[in-house]
């Protein structure tokens, strides 16, 4: 919302001053975070009716594609800490979308599975995710998206890190 | 850390199974989040001795470059919610790096400034940030970085969003 500009004789920046971000604007981490926030906000708006956050969608997708994984495997695959993943999974279970069930061959272990309700919801969420994705692909083009995914993959892969002294 | 593989007769994925991420691996938001985590972790390792997180570094930088801004202006410029920014600023103030001070021309408003100690620390942090940045630039090259920043900017800018029906 617009703010009242400061008086002209105010020696400090006025309330609507353009803020100088200096070297931040060329820091990769800063640019990544800004873009990631914009994309995550669109995702959450897209999924608002179903109250699904990006991490919940990712968990449902991994459980669907890899039924029976232990929760530590799913959280590791998603790059999430177990302490963050457990409450996320609890909520999916409480909403009847996923379940922890005993798995054959190991009496102590429990694996993760989608419920029929989870499968139904995820089918709808996948359509919405595709619409969300198409909006961002339209901004940078299919070639731009392919370039972006390649660059992001190389950024995140320590194998591309040159040896340090 | 390595985990004990499941017995061979286990019908569910073994503990060291490759996890299928399916459509997640081509979702822009997922790829952004993975890369952003990798970059932020390196940043935090780089700054560990000084106990500075990326958002704290960004705040110090914006305050240095724009002395006297109100905290709402700084948080807006950084894309942070005020509720998250206030405790961050409290900590910078407690550590003697930044200060809220009355500003001329407006008796009620207080502006943000770095302390001399904040200036000294930030000079060192800027060197470390440049070393951190150089590691990631080395992974994708200077041309790759320029491409990446351009793509990220277009992703995050709604002006590039085509009109919806």
């Amino acid at each position: 919302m617009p703010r009242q500009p400061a008086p002209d004789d105010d020696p400090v920046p006025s309330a609507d001053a353009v803020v100088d971000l200096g070297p931040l604007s060329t820091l990769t981490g800063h640019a990544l975070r800004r873009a990631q926030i914009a994309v995550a906000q669109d995702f959450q708006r897209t999924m608002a009716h179903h109250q699904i956050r990006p991490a919940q969608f990712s968990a449902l997708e991994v459980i669907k594609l890899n039924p029976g994984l232990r929760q530590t495997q799913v959280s590791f695959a998603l790059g999430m800490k177990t302490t963050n993943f457990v409450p996320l999974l609890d909520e999916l279970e409480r909403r009847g979308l996923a379940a922890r069930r005993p798995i054959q061959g190991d009496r102590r272990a429990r694996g993760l599975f989608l419920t029929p309700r989870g499968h139904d919801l995820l089918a709808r969420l996948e359509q919405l995710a595709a619409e969300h994705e198409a909006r961002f692909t339209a901004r940078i083009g299919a070639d731009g998206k392919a370039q972006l995914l390649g660059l992001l993959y190389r950024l995140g892969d320590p194998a591309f890190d040159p040896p340090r002294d």
Side-chain angles (χ1 to χ4, degrees), chain A:
Chain A
M1 77 199 79
R3 297 170 55 83
Q4 199 70 6
D8 284 341
D9 60 352
D10 189 340
V12 299
S14 70
D16 54 0
V18 172
V19 173
D20 181 4
L21 293 177
L24 293 181
S25 53
T26 59
L27 267 188
T28 302
H30 187 78
L32 281 173
R33 183 172 157 273
R34 302 301 284 252
Q36 200 247 321
I37 288 173
V39 174
Q41 282 176 341
D42 184 273
F43 189 94
Q44 279 184 289
R45 275 195 299 274
T46 307
M47 303 287 179
H49 175 69
H50 300 289
Q51 298 191 15
I52 290 286
R53 300 188 305 275
Q56 293 172 316
F57 175 77
S58 298
L60 290 171
E61 198 65 61
V62 168
I63 296 169
K64 179 186 95 168
L65 292 167
N66 308 271
L69 282 189
R70 284 85 163 161
Q71 66 183 21
T72 48
Q73 292 172 296
V74 176
S75 62
F76 182 79
L78 293 173
M80 287 183 71
K81 292 177 184 167
T82 310
T83 48
N84 296 328
F85 185 69
V86 168
L88 183 154
L89 187 63
D90 287 345
E91 191 187 335
L92 295 179
E93 199 159 22
R94 187 182 54 72
R95 290 169 64 179
L97 302 173
R100 295 168 169 101
R101 290 208 302 262
I103 50 182
Q104 283 184 274
D106 186 342
R107 267 185 304 175
R108 291 163 312 167
R110 290 196 300 166
L112 306 187
F113 299 87
L114 291 193
T115 63
R117 187 173 170 181
H119 278 286
D120 287 350
L121 178 65
L122 187 54
R124 174 72 189 123
L125 298 178
E126 285 172 351
Q127 292 175 336
L128 291 171
E131 292 169 19
H132 151 85
E133 188 64 23
R135 280 196 286 280
F136 287 96
T137 307
R139 288 189 190 178
I140 57 176
D143 288 351
K145 180 176 163 177
Q147 270 183 344
L148 178 66
L149 291 179
L151 289 163
L152 293 176
Y153 181 78
R154 285 160 63 196
L155 265 191
D157 186 346
F160 287 95
D161 212 5
R164 302 186 197 177
D165 302 307

